[in-house]
Amino acid sequence: MMKSPLRRNFCFSIIAFFGTAILLSSPAGAQWWPDSTRNVPVCDTTGQQDLPQGCSDGANGAIFAWRDARNGTAQIYAQHIDAAGYPTWARDGILLGVGKTIASQTNPTICSDDSGGAYVVWQDSRFTNQLGACLYAQHILSSGALAYPDSGLPVGIGYNGLANQVLCDDGRGKAYVAWEDSRASAVAS
């Protein structure tokens, strides 16, 4: 049985397309340093640091946010790593939710602000006794300066706690936040 020229040409075109795409694609890189034994320190202070989240800075670098218990209470910190693999903000990161609160902060989410900075939203316990976990946000500029008050801005405050927030940029320098909200079940009880 003889194959049709159309089918043979189609198969050859597919193979040629994928072969060219593989040859022309640039190699992926997973680290700043070519030596896999050399790490890029984001934070190397005492205490527990966990729950890291990251986003691009738009210039081949990255911005990271994490929960940090270096002072005994979990708080949210952030750090920028430039395209060369060096931290550019304060050593061991910038505290995002300081001020008059000593509340426990956890579960950060982060997205770019499309200008070299980022928006970070976290769960905050400052009103836990009255309302449950609330959501607070901070906008950190490319310079490392905080754009909002040093205690952060409330994003969501509701009875019975807010959780599982997600954050994305709007493509114009702002951000959208959505979350799981259980206040309807608290009112119905």
Side-chain angles (χ1 to χ4, degrees), residues 10-75:
F10 177 75
C11 290
F12 176 76
S13 297
I14 295 293
I15 292 169
F17 172 78
F18 284 115
T20 304
I22 290 169
L23 290 174
L24 295 178
S25 65
S26 61
Q31 59 192 28
W32 281 277
W33 306 106
D35 175 4
S36 65
T37 63
R38 183 176 179 186
N39 295 319
V40 175
V42 174
C43 175
D44 64 358
T45 190
T46 61
Q48 181 174 335
Q49 290 82 36
D50 58 9
L51 303 175
Q53 297 288 309
C55 69
S56 172
D57 70 352
N60 295 321
I63 302 169
F64 298 98
W66 65 93
R67 179 176 64 178
D68 193 310
R70 70 181 76 172
N71 297 320
T73 300
Q75 296 177 309

Short mmCIF file of all heavy atoms in Angstrom, two decimals, residues 10-75:
data_model
loop_
_atom_site.label_atom_id
_atom_site.label_comp_id
_atom_site.label_asym_id
_atom_site.label_seq_id
_atom_site.Cartn_x
_atom_site.Cartn_y
_atom_site.Cartn_z
N PHE A 10 2.86 16.04 5.29
CA PHE A 10 2.37 16.52 6.58
C PHE A 10 3.23 15.99 7.71
O PHE A 10 3.64 16.73 8.58
CB PHE A 10 0.91 16.10 6.77
CG PHE A 10 0.36 16.49 8.11
CD1 PHE A 10 0.02 17.81 8.38
CD2 PHE A 10 0.20 15.54 9.10
CE1 PHE A 10 -0.47 18.17 9.61
CE2 PHE A 10 -0.30 15.90 10.34
CZ PHE A 10 -0.63 17.21 10.60
N CYS A 11 3.52 14.69 7.69
CA CYS A 11 4.36 14.10 8.74
C CYS A 11 5.74 14.72 8.73
O CYS A 11 6.31 15.01 9.78
CB CYS A 11 4.45 12.58 8.56
SG CYS A 11 2.90 11.73 8.93
N PHE A 12 6.32 14.92 7.55
CA PHE A 12 7.64 15.54 7.47
C PHE A 12 7.60 16.97 8.00
O PHE A 12 8.50 17.41 8.72
CB PHE A 12 8.15 15.53 6.02
CG PHE A 12 9.46 16.24 5.88
CD1 PHE A 12 10.64 15.64 6.30
CD2 PHE A 12 9.52 17.52 5.37
CE1 PHE A 12 11.83 16.30 6.20
CE2 PHE A 12 10.72 18.19 5.26
CZ PHE A 12 11.88 17.58 5.68
N SER A 13 6.53 17.70 7.71
CA SER A 13 6.40 19.09 8.19
C SER A 13 6.33 19.14 9.71
O SER A 13 6.95 19.99 10.34
CB SER A 13 5.16 19.75 7.60
OG SER A 13 5.27 19.84 6.21
N ILE A 14 5.60 18.21 10.32
CA ILE A 14 5.50 18.16 11.79
C ILE A 14 6.86 17.86 12.39
O ILE A 14 7.30 18.52 13.33
CB ILE A 14 4.45 17.11 12.23
CG1 ILE A 14 3.06 17.52 11.79
CG2 ILE A 14 4.51 16.86 13.73
CD1 ILE A 14 2.53 18.75 12.47
N ILE A 15 7.56 16.86 11.84
CA ILE A 15 8.89 16.51 12.35
C ILE A 15 9.85 17.68 12.17
O ILE A 15 10.60 18.02 13.07
CB ILE A 15 9.40 15.23 11.65
CG1 ILE A 15 8.55 14.03 12.09
CG2 ILE A 15 10.88 15.00 11.97
CD1 ILE A 15 8.80 12.78 11.28
N ALA A 16 9.81 18.34 11.01
CA ALA A 16 10.70 19.48 10.77
C ALA A 16 10.39 20.62 11.73
O ALA A 16 11.30 21.27 12.26
CB ALA A 16 10.55 19.95 9.33
N PHE A 17 9.09 20.88 12.00
CA PHE A 17 8.70 21.95 12.92
C PHE A 17 9.24 21.69 14.32
O PHE A 17 9.87 22.54 14.93
CB PHE A 17 7.18 22.09 12.95
CG PHE A 17 6.70 23.03 14.01
CD1 PHE A 17 6.78 24.41 13.84
CD2 PHE A 17 6.19 22.55 15.21
CE1 PHE A 17 6.35 25.27 14.82
CE2 PHE A 17 5.76 23.42 16.20
CZ PHE A 17 5.85 24.78 16.00
N PHE A 18 8.98 20.49 14.87
CA PHE A 18 9.44 20.19 16.22
C PHE A 18 10.95 20.11 16.30
O PHE A 18 11.55 20.54 17.28
CB PHE A 18 8.79 18.90 16.75
CG PHE A 18 7.36 19.10 17.15
CD1 PHE A 18 6.34 18.46 16.47
CD2 PHE A 18 7.02 19.95 18.19
CE1 PHE A 18 5.02 18.66 16.83
CE2 PHE A 18 5.71 20.15 18.55
CZ PHE A 18 4.69 19.50 17.87
N GLY A 19 11.58 19.57 15.27
CA GLY A 19 13.05 19.51 15.26
C GLY A 19 13.66 20.90 15.27
O GLY A 19 14.60 21.19 16.01
N THR A 20 13.10 21.81 14.47
CA THR A 20 13.59 23.20 14.44
C THR A 20 13.32 23.89 15.77
O THR A 20 14.18 24.60 16.28
CB THR A 20 12.90 23.97 13.29
OG1 THR A 20 13.14 23.28 12.07
CG2 THR A 20 13.42 25.38 13.20
N ALA A 21 12.15 23.65 16.35
CA ALA A 21 11.82 24.27 17.64
C ALA A 21 12.79 23.83 18.72
O ALA A 21 13.22 24.63 19.56
CB ALA A 21 10.38 23.93 18.03
N ILE A 22 13.15 22.56 18.73
CA ILE A 22 14.09 22.06 19.73
C ILE A 22 15.47 22.66 19.53
O ILE A 22 16.13 23.08 20.48
CB ILE A 22 14.13 20.51 19.70
CG1 ILE A 22 12.81 19.96 20.22
CG2 ILE A 22 15.31 19.97 20.50
CD1 ILE A 22 12.63 18.46 20.00
N LEU A 23 15.93 22.73 18.27
CA LEU A 23 17.26 23.28 17.99
C LEU A 23 17.35 24.77 18.28
O LEU A 23 18.38 25.26 18.72
CB LEU A 23 17.64 23.01 16.53
CG LEU A 23 17.92 21.55 16.19
CD1 LEU A 23 18.15 21.41 14.68
CD2 LEU A 23 19.12 21.04 16.97
N LEU A 24 16.27 25.52 18.03
CA LEU A 24 16.30 26.96 18.22
C LEU A 24 15.96 27.41 19.63
O LEU A 24 16.18 28.56 19.98
CB LEU A 24 15.34 27.64 17.24
CG LEU A 24 15.71 27.51 15.76
CD1 LEU A 24 14.65 28.18 14.91
CD2 LEU A 24 17.08 28.09 15.49
N SER A 25 15.42 26.54 20.44
CA SER A 25 15.05 26.95 21.80
C SER A 25 16.30 27.14 22.63
O SER A 25 17.31 26.46 22.46
CB SER A 25 14.13 25.91 22.45
OG SER A 25 14.82 24.70 22.63
N SER A 26 16.23 28.10 23.53
CA SER A 26 17.38 28.35 24.40
C SER A 26 17.34 27.40 25.59
O SER A 26 16.27 27.00 26.03
CB SER A 26 17.36 29.81 24.88
OG SER A 26 16.20 30.05 25.61
N PRO A 27 18.51 27.06 26.11
CA PRO A 27 18.52 26.14 27.26
C PRO A 27 17.92 26.81 28.49
O PRO A 27 18.06 28.01 28.70
CB PRO A 27 20.00 25.84 27.46
CG PRO A 27 20.73 26.97 26.81
CD PRO A 27 19.83 27.47 25.71
N ALA A 28 17.25 26.03 29.29
CA ALA A 28 16.63 26.53 30.52
C ALA A 28 17.67 26.56 31.62
O ALA A 28 18.57 25.73 31.66
CB ALA A 28 15.47 25.64 30.93
N GLY A 29 17.56 27.52 32.51
CA GLY A 29 18.45 27.61 33.66
C GLY A 29 17.65 27.59 34.94
O GLY A 29 16.60 28.19 35.03
N ALA A 30 18.14 26.86 35.93
CA ALA A 30 17.40 26.72 37.17
C ALA A 30 18.09 27.41 38.33
O ALA A 30 17.65 27.30 39.45
CB ALA A 30 17.22 25.24 37.49
N GLN A 31 19.17 28.11 38.08
CA GLN A 31 19.89 28.76 39.16
C GLN A 31 20.71 29.91 38.61
O GLN A 31 20.94 30.00 37.42
CB GLN A 31 20.78 27.76 39.89
CG GLN A 31 21.80 27.11 38.98
CD GLN A 31 22.47 25.94 39.63
OE1 GLN A 31 21.89 25.29 40.47
NE2 GLN A 31 23.68 25.64 39.24
N TRP A 32 21.19 30.77 39.48
CA TRP A 32 22.01 31.88 39.05
C TRP A 32 23.46 31.46 38.83
O TRP A 32 24.13 31.97 37.97
CB TRP A 32 21.96 33.00 40.09
CG TRP A 32 20.71 33.83 39.99
CD1 TRP A 32 20.51 34.87 39.14
CD2 TRP A 32 19.51 33.69 40.74
NE1 TRP A 32 19.25 35.38 39.32
CE2 TRP A 32 18.61 34.68 40.31
CE3 TRP A 32 19.10 32.83 41.75
CZ2 TRP A 32 17.35 34.84 40.84
CZ3 TRP A 32 17.83 32.99 42.27
CH2 TRP A 32 16.98 33.98 41.81
N TRP A 33 23.95 30.56 39.63
CA TRP A 33 25.35 30.15 39.55
C TRP A 33 25.49 28.87 38.74
O TRP A 33 24.69 27.95 38.88
CB TRP A 33 25.93 29.94 40.95
CG TRP A 33 25.74 31.14 41.82
CD1 TRP A 33 24.85 31.26 42.84
CD2 TRP A 33 26.40 32.38 41.73
NE1 TRP A 33 24.93 32.50 43.40
CE2 TRP A 33 25.89 33.22 42.74
CE3 TRP A 33 27.39 32.89 40.91
CZ2 TRP A 33 26.33 34.52 42.93
CZ3 TRP A 33 27.84 34.19 41.11
CH2 TRP A 33 27.30 34.98 42.10
N PRO A 34 26.52 28.76 37.92
CA PRO A 34 26.71 27.54 37.14
C PRO A 34 27.13 26.34 38.00
O PRO A 34 27.03 25.22 37.57
CB PRO A 34 27.80 27.90 36.14
CG PRO A 34 28.50 29.07 36.72
CD PRO A 34 27.49 29.79 37.58
N ASP A 35 27.60 26.60 39.21
CA ASP A 35 28.02 25.54 40.13
C ASP A 35 26.85 25.19 41.05
O ASP A 35 26.43 26.01 41.87
CB ASP A 35 29.22 26.03 40.94
CG ASP A 35 29.68 25.06 42.01
OD1 ASP A 35 29.13 23.95 42.10
OD2 ASP A 35 30.60 25.42 42.76
N SER A 36 26.31 23.97 40.93
CA SER A 36 25.12 23.60 41.70
C SER A 36 25.38 23.49 43.20
O SER A 36 24.44 23.37 43.98
CB SER A 36 24.55 22.28 41.18
OG SER A 36 25.47 21.24 41.41
N THR A 37 26.63 23.53 43.63
CA THR A 37 26.92 23.48 45.07
C THR A 37 26.94 24.87 45.69
O THR A 37 27.05 25.00 46.90
CB THR A 37 28.27 22.78 45.34
OG1 THR A 37 29.32 23.55 44.72
CG2 THR A 37 28.26 21.36 44.80
N ARG A 38 26.86 25.90 44.88
CA ARG A 38 26.85 27.27 45.38
C ARG A 38 25.41 27.77 45.41
O ARG A 38 24.75 27.88 44.39
CB ARG A 38 27.69 28.17 44.49
CG ARG A 38 27.78 29.58 45.00
CD ARG A 38 28.71 30.40 44.13
NE ARG A 38 28.74 31.76 44.64
CZ ARG A 38 29.37 32.74 44.03
NH1 ARG A 38 30.02 32.52 42.93
NH2 ARG A 38 29.34 33.95 44.54
N ASN A 39 24.91 28.08 46.59
CA ASN A 39 23.54 28.52 46.75
C ASN A 39 23.44 30.04 46.75
O ASN A 39 24.40 30.73 47.06
CB ASN A 39 22.97 27.99 48.07
CG ASN A 39 22.86 26.49 48.06
OD1 ASN A 39 22.47 25.90 47.07
ND2 ASN A 39 23.23 25.87 49.16
N VAL A 40 22.26 30.53 46.45
CA VAL A 40 21.97 31.96 46.53
C VAL A 40 21.20 32.18 47.82
O VAL A 40 20.04 31.78 47.93
CB VAL A 40 21.13 32.43 45.32
CG1 VAL A 40 20.73 33.89 45.48
CG2 VAL A 40 21.89 32.22 44.03
N PRO A 41 21.85 32.77 48.85
CA PRO A 41 21.13 32.97 50.12
C PRO A 41 20.08 34.08 50.01
O PRO A 41 20.38 35.19 49.60
CB PRO A 41 22.24 33.35 51.09
CG PRO A 41 23.31 33.94 50.25
CD PRO A 41 23.22 33.26 48.91
N VAL A 42 18.87 33.74 50.37
CA VAL A 42 17.79 34.72 50.42
C VAL A 42 17.73 35.29 51.83
O VAL A 42 17.58 36.48 52.04
CB VAL A 42 16.45 34.07 50.03
CG1 VAL A 42 15.30 35.04 50.21
CG2 VAL A 42 16.52 33.57 48.59
N CYS A 43 17.90 34.42 52.82
CA CYS A 43 17.89 34.80 54.23
C CYS A 43 18.69 33.75 54.98
O CYS A 43 18.45 32.55 54.84
CB CYS A 43 16.46 34.84 54.75
SG CYS A 43 16.33 35.16 56.52
N ASP A 44 19.66 34.18 55.78
CA ASP A 44 20.46 33.20 56.54
C ASP A 44 20.56 33.57 58.02
O ASP A 44 21.56 33.34 58.67
CB ASP A 44 21.84 33.02 55.92
CG ASP A 44 22.69 34.28 55.95
OD1 ASP A 44 22.20 35.32 56.42
OD2 ASP A 44 23.85 34.22 55.50
N THR A 45 19.49 34.10 58.56
CA THR A 45 19.47 34.48 59.96
C THR A 45 18.97 33.31 60.82
O THR A 45 18.59 32.27 60.29
CB THR A 45 18.58 35.73 60.18
OG1 THR A 45 18.77 36.20 61.51
CG2 THR A 45 17.12 35.43 59.93
N THR A 46 18.96 33.50 62.12
CA THR A 46 18.49 32.46 63.03
C THR A 46 16.97 32.36 63.00
O THR A 46 16.29 33.23 62.46
CB THR A 46 18.94 32.76 64.47
OG1 THR A 46 18.37 34.01 64.87
CG2 THR A 46 20.44 32.81 64.58
N GLY A 47 16.44 31.33 63.61
CA GLY A 47 14.99 31.13 63.65
C GLY A 47 14.53 30.35 62.44
O GLY A 47 15.29 30.06 61.52
N GLN A 48 13.26 30.01 62.45
CA GLN A 48 12.70 29.23 61.36
C GLN A 48 12.16 30.13 60.27
O GLN A 48 11.40 31.05 60.54
CB GLN A 48 11.59 28.33 61.89
CG GLN A 48 10.97 27.47 60.81
CD GLN A 48 9.97 26.47 61.37
OE1 GLN A 48 10.06 26.10 62.54
NE2 GLN A 48 9.03 26.07 60.56
N GLN A 49 12.53 29.85 59.03
CA GLN A 49 11.99 30.51 57.86
C GLN A 49 11.36 29.43 57.00
O GLN A 49 12.00 28.42 56.68
CB GLN A 49 13.07 31.24 57.05
CG GLN A 49 13.65 32.45 57.74
CD GLN A 49 14.72 32.14 58.76
OE1 GLN A 49 15.50 31.23 58.58
NE2 GLN A 49 14.75 32.90 59.84
N ASP A 50 10.08 29.61 56.61
CA ASP A 50 9.39 28.61 55.81
C ASP A 50 8.28 29.24 54.98
O ASP A 50 8.10 30.45 54.98
CB ASP A 50 8.87 27.47 56.67
CG ASP A 50 7.91 27.91 57.77
OD1 ASP A 50 7.49 29.09 57.79
OD2 ASP A 50 7.58 27.08 58.62
N LEU A 51 7.55 28.41 54.27
CA LEU A 51 6.44 28.80 53.39
C LEU A 51 6.86 29.84 52.34
O LEU A 51 6.19 30.85 52.13
CB LEU A 51 5.26 29.33 54.21
CG LEU A 51 4.70 28.38 55.26
CD1 LEU A 51 3.61 29.07 56.07
CD2 LEU A 51 4.19 27.11 54.63
N PRO A 52 7.98 29.61 51.63
CA PRO A 52 8.44 30.60 50.64
C PRO A 52 7.52 30.66 49.43
O PRO A 52 6.96 29.66 49.00
CB PRO A 52 9.82 30.08 50.26
CG PRO A 52 9.72 28.61 50.43
CD PRO A 52 8.83 28.42 51.64
N GLN A 53 7.38 31.84 48.90
CA GLN A 53 6.66 32.10 47.65
C GLN A 53 7.51 33.05 46.83
O GLN A 53 8.23 33.88 47.39
CB GLN A 53 5.31 32.76 47.93
CG GLN A 53 4.36 31.90 48.74
CD GLN A 53 3.83 30.75 47.92
OE1 GLN A 53 3.32 30.93 46.82
NE2 GLN A 53 3.95 29.55 48.45
N GLY A 54 7.44 32.98 45.51
CA GLY A 54 8.26 33.83 44.68
C GLY A 54 7.55 34.28 43.42
O GLY A 54 6.55 33.70 43.00
N CYS A 55 8.08 35.35 42.83
CA CYS A 55 7.60 35.84 41.55
C CYS A 55 8.76 36.51 40.82
O CYS A 55 9.78 36.84 41.43
CB CYS A 55 6.43 36.82 41.73
SG CYS A 55 6.88 38.41 42.46
N SER A 56 8.60 36.71 39.55
CA SER A 56 9.62 37.38 38.74
C SER A 56 9.64 38.87 39.05
O SER A 56 8.61 39.46 39.37
CB SER A 56 9.30 37.18 37.26
OG SER A 56 10.15 37.97 36.45
N ASP A 57 10.81 39.47 38.90
CA ASP A 57 10.90 40.93 39.02
C ASP A 57 10.79 41.60 37.66
O ASP A 57 10.85 42.81 37.55
CB ASP A 57 12.19 41.35 39.72
CG ASP A 57 13.44 41.11 38.88
OD1 ASP A 57 13.36 40.47 37.81
OD2 ASP A 57 14.53 41.55 39.31
N GLY A 58 10.66 40.79 36.59
CA GLY A 58 10.55 41.33 35.24
C GLY A 58 11.88 41.65 34.61
O GLY A 58 11.94 42.13 33.48
N ALA A 59 12.99 41.40 35.31
CA ALA A 59 14.33 41.71 34.79
C ALA A 59 15.30 40.57 35.08
O ALA A 59 16.44 40.80 35.47
CB ALA A 59 14.84 43.03 35.40
N ASN A 60 14.83 39.34 34.93
CA ASN A 60 15.63 38.12 35.16
C ASN A 60 16.03 37.90 36.61
O ASN A 60 16.93 37.12 36.89
CB ASN A 60 16.86 38.07 34.25
CG ASN A 60 16.48 37.98 32.80
OD1 ASN A 60 15.53 37.28 32.45
ND2 ASN A 60 17.19 38.69 31.95
N GLY A 61 15.40 38.59 37.51
CA GLY A 61 15.59 38.37 38.94
C GLY A 61 14.30 37.85 39.54
O GLY A 61 13.36 37.50 38.82
N ALA A 62 14.24 37.80 40.85
CA ALA A 62 13.05 37.28 41.52
C ALA A 62 12.84 37.98 42.85
O ALA A 62 13.78 38.53 43.44
CB ALA A 62 13.20 35.77 41.75
N ILE A 63 11.61 37.96 43.32
CA ILE A 63 11.25 38.48 44.64
C ILE A 63 10.62 37.33 45.41
O ILE A 63 9.75 36.64 44.88
CB ILE A 63 10.28 39.66 44.52
CG1 ILE A 63 10.92 40.78 43.67
CG2 ILE A 63 9.91 40.18 45.91
CD1 ILE A 63 9.97 41.87 43.28
N PHE A 64 11.07 37.14 46.63
CA PHE A 64 10.58 36.05 47.46
C PHE A 64 9.95 36.63 48.73
O PHE A 64 10.43 37.63 49.27
CB PHE A 64 11.72 35.11 47.86
CG PHE A 64 12.36 34.44 46.68
CD1 PHE A 64 13.53 34.94 46.13
CD2 PHE A 64 11.77 33.34 46.11
CE1 PHE A 64 14.11 34.33 45.03
CE2 PHE A 64 12.33 32.71 45.00
CZ PHE A 64 13.51 33.21 44.47
N ALA A 65 8.91 35.97 49.22
CA ALA A 65 8.30 36.29 50.51
C ALA A 65 8.20 34.98 51.29
O ALA A 65 8.03 33.91 50.69
CB ALA A 65 6.91 36.90 50.33
N TRP A 66 8.32 35.06 52.62
CA TRP A 66 8.27 33.85 53.44
C TRP A 66 7.83 34.20 54.85
O TRP A 66 7.84 35.36 55.25
CB TRP A 66 9.64 33.17 53.48
CG TRP A 66 10.72 33.99 54.14
CD1 TRP A 66 11.08 33.94 55.46
CD2 TRP A 66 11.56 34.98 53.55
NE1 TRP A 66 12.10 34.83 55.72
CE2 TRP A 66 12.41 35.48 54.55
CE3 TRP A 66 11.67 35.49 52.25
CZ2 TRP A 66 13.36 36.47 54.31
CZ3 TRP A 66 12.62 36.48 52.01
CH2 TRP A 66 13.44 36.95 53.04
N ARG A 67 7.43 33.16 55.59
CA ARG A 67 7.11 33.30 57.01
C ARG A 67 8.42 33.15 57.77
O ARG A 67 9.20 32.25 57.50
CB ARG A 67 6.10 32.24 57.44
CG ARG A 67 5.75 32.34 58.93
CD ARG A 67 4.69 31.35 59.32
NE ARG A 67 5.19 29.98 59.15
CZ ARG A 67 4.48 28.90 59.45
NH1 ARG A 67 3.25 29.01 59.90
NH2 ARG A 67 4.98 27.71 59.27
N ASP A 68 8.63 34.00 58.76
CA ASP A 68 9.91 34.06 59.45
C ASP A 68 9.66 34.24 60.95
O ASP A 68 8.96 35.14 61.36
CB ASP A 68 10.70 35.26 58.91
CG ASP A 68 12.14 35.27 59.32
OD1 ASP A 68 12.45 35.11 60.52
OD2 ASP A 68 12.99 35.46 58.42
N ALA A 69 10.26 33.36 61.75
CA ALA A 69 10.07 33.42 63.21
C ALA A 69 11.34 33.83 63.93
O ALA A 69 11.56 33.47 65.09
CB ALA A 69 9.59 32.07 63.71
N ARG A 70 12.19 34.63 63.31
CA ARG A 70 13.46 35.03 63.92
C ARG A 70 13.28 35.80 65.22
O ARG A 70 14.15 35.80 66.07
CB ARG A 70 14.31 35.84 62.95
CG ARG A 70 13.76 37.23 62.66
CD ARG A 70 14.58 38.00 61.68
NE ARG A 70 14.35 37.53 60.33
CZ ARG A 70 14.83 38.14 59.26
NH1 ARG A 70 15.57 39.21 59.37
NH2 ARG A 70 14.56 37.66 58.06
N ASN A 71 12.14 36.50 65.38
CA ASN A 71 11.90 37.29 66.59
C ASN A 71 10.92 36.61 67.55
O ASN A 71 10.40 37.24 68.45
CB ASN A 71 11.36 38.67 66.20
CG ASN A 71 12.37 39.45 65.40
OD1 ASN A 71 13.57 39.41 65.68
ND2 ASN A 71 11.91 40.13 64.37
N GLY A 72 10.64 35.33 67.34
CA GLY A 72 9.75 34.59 68.22
C GLY A 72 8.31 34.52 67.76
O GLY A 72 7.58 33.62 68.10
N THR A 73 7.85 35.50 66.96
CA THR A 73 6.50 35.51 66.40
C THR A 73 6.62 35.42 64.89
O THR A 73 7.46 36.10 64.30
CB THR A 73 5.76 36.81 66.77
OG1 THR A 73 5.69 36.92 68.19
CG2 THR A 73 4.36 36.83 66.20
N ALA A 74 5.79 34.61 64.27
CA ALA A 74 5.85 34.47 62.81
C ALA A 74 5.44 35.77 62.14
O ALA A 74 4.37 36.31 62.42
CB ALA A 74 4.93 33.33 62.37
N GLN A 75 6.31 36.28 61.27
CA GLN A 75 6.05 37.49 60.51
C GLN A 75 6.47 37.27 59.07
O GLN A 75 7.20 36.33 58.76
CB GLN A 75 6.80 38.68 61.13
CG GLN A 75 6.31 39.00 62.53
CD GLN A 75 7.10 40.13 63.17
OE1 GLN A 75 8.31 40.10 63.20
NE2 GLN A 75 6.37 41.11 63.69
#
